[in-house]
Amino acid sequence: MTTWNLTPMQRHVLICNGATCMGAGAEEVTQQIRDEIRVNKLDDVIHTSRTRCNGRCKDKCVVIDYPKGTWYSVQEEKTARAIVHENVSEENIIYSLQEGERLRGESRIKGLDKYRKRKGKKHKAVLFVGHGSRLEEGNEEVRQFVSRMEPKIDPQYIVQSCFLEFASPNIDDGIQACMEAGADEIHVIPIILLHAGHSKLHIPAEIEEARVQFPEVRFTYGQTIGIHNEIFEILKSRLEEVGFDTAAKHKDTAILLIARGSSDLEAKEDFYKISHKLAGQIDVPIFETAFMGVTTPTVEQGIETCMERGAKKIIMLPYFLFTGILMKRMAHMATEFSKEYPNIDITIANYFGYHPKLQNVLLERLQQTIDGTSTGMQDLENFRKYVEENGYEHSH
């Protein structure tokens, strides 16, 4: 091992190489910082060391600059190189020292106190998990929906929302927010339409990881929205919003119910059950299903089937929870179909969305979780068995 003469050293930069940071690019960050030091001939005055975990995994990749005592969160090369010159953007600062006081960056979560087992009232929390969208508008729909539903939840419960992917806070951050508020029991409720990979694997993986890390906290898990009477009322209301009378008989009209698409057979079966039951509640000669991706029939195939069966009017009914890329794609599809088939009236209904009646479903799912009748707990057990047999690489 090398022994350096560190007498000229003025700064010591510690680069976290713990597992979480390494998975987020800590090796690249290490090399970028060292390259910037070398290019600027600062090797004598700035010394770097790799470290193990520094306890701020949420801020990956973590870099600490001493003696100044500033902690940085690094996700881009420009930030890594800027550390060498001490001109890092405020948004990348986790902690800074000012007049001997450690200050936390405004965008950084507090984190958990190391000594949490203290006297005082314990709380229960509800953590709603949305899917997350690349369009912030879709994420805001989740937040607003949970906010509107919160007054209907027992005030003894802390209520938080989080996202599986594409948005913040993620599930881990949501769990930490509940614990920071004093929760020692957390009911995790997925806001997901159909029971597939996200609800069977990805969310249970997050819960299991938290359960191992915080054994003093009790976690329960709710079931997905699934098949519920309210969803048919919501879908019919979306049809009525585009002028379709759900109580009348319609000639030459087709309804095309469209889902995102999943390779999970149980999810597809439930979607077909929903389609069949909805078709029995409205009087149209043609009722078809389609998927935006992953599986078939595609939307194009669904439209063609409707026309082959004699439809003169087609209503595309999106079974999506939130606006996003898929809704933009569907709007583009409808425009192209209308150009190609000018004699066919093609209309897109509003997506399923966060209708007020959906609150009833989720409040029921919450109550099932609280009273121990939710199938979600079996999902956690199924996940544990799955990991034992197949392993699991945690990617969310």
Side-chain angles (χ1 to χ4, degrees), residues 336-360:
E336 294 302 309
F337 291 143
S338 296
K339 290 179 182 177
E340 188 173 354
Y341 308 105
N343 295 326
I344 305 296
D345 181 1
I346 299 177
T347 302
I348 300 181
N350 290 327
Y351 54 95
F352 181 86
Y354 295 98
H355 192 280
K357 288 182 181 294
L358 185 59
Q359 294 183 17
N360 300 332

Side-chain angles (χ1 to χ4, degrees), residues 18-181:
T20 301
C21 285
M22 288 297 283
E27 178 59 33
E28 290 82 358
V29 170
T30 302
Q31 297 307 323
Q32 291 156 3
I33 291 174
R34 288 180 172 175
D35 180 67
E36 191 69 16
I37 291 171
R38 179 185 57 79
V39 167
N40 289 276
K41 297 180 170 57
L42 295 171
D43 301 83
D44 281 349
V45 296
I46 303 178
H47 182 63
T48 63
S49 297
R50 298 174 185 262
T51 74
R52 301 301 292 171
C53 181
N54 287 279
R56 289 289 304 190
C57 295
K58 292 293 100 186
D59 299 307
K60 58 188 183 287
C61 303
V62 174
V63 177
I64 309 168
D65 188 1
Y66 284 109
K68 192 175 180 181
T70 305
W71 291 49
Y72 299 104
S73 174
V74 184
Q75 288 84 39
E76 298 179 345
E77 180 175 351
K78 66 178 183 180
T79 306
R81 295 185 181 276
I83 288 173
V84 175
H85 307 287
E86 300 183 272
N87 61 350
V88 178
S89 171
E90 287 289 332
E91 66 184 17
N92 293 103
I93 294 177
I94 306 169
Y95 293 118
S96 61
L97 278 175
Q98 295 184 22
E99 298 181 356
E101 181 181 0
R102 186 171 301 281
L103 302 179
R104 173 166 46 93
E106 290 184 2
S107 64
R108 302 294 155 184
I109 64 170
K110 175 187 174 185
L112 300 174
D113 295 328
K114 288 189 175 182
Y115 300 99
R116 296 186 300 279
K117 291 184 178 180
R118 52 188 181 273
K119 293 181 179 180
K121 185 179 179 181
K122 296 296 183 180
H123 299 278
K124 298 178 181 180
V126 182
L127 180 62
F128 290 101
V129 183
H131 182 280
S133 171
R134 290 184 175 90
L135 294 183
E136 182 56 26
E137 181 184 352
N139 302 323
E140 187 59 25
E141 285 180 349
V142 177
R143 299 185 188 101
Q144 292 297 324
F145 175 74
V146 172
S147 178
R148 292 192 298 270
M149 186 165 50
E150 186 171 356
K152 298 181 180 180
I153 298 172
D154 190 323
Q156 71 168 309
Y157 288 92
I158 299 160
V159 177
Q160 296 282 350
S161 58
C162 64
F163 300 92
L164 180 64
E165 56 186 358
F166 304 136
S168 294
N170 60 24
I171 298 175
D172 203 359
D173 288 342
I175 289 172
Q176 291 213 25
C178 292
M179 293 178 65
E180 286 176 16

Side-chain angles (χ1 to χ4, degrees), residues 4-16:
W4 299 105
N5 173 20
L6 299 178
T7 305
M9 179 181 68
Q10 297 176 18
R11 293 167 61 193
H12 190 186
V13 176
L14 308 177
I15 307 164
C16 184

Side-chain angles (χ1 to χ4, degrees), residues 283-301:
D283 196 347
V284 292
I286 306 163
F287 196 109
E288 295 290 335
T289 56
F291 302 91
M292 290 294 289
V294 183
T295 190
T296 55
T298 64
V299 174
E300 292 86 350
Q301 291 170 333

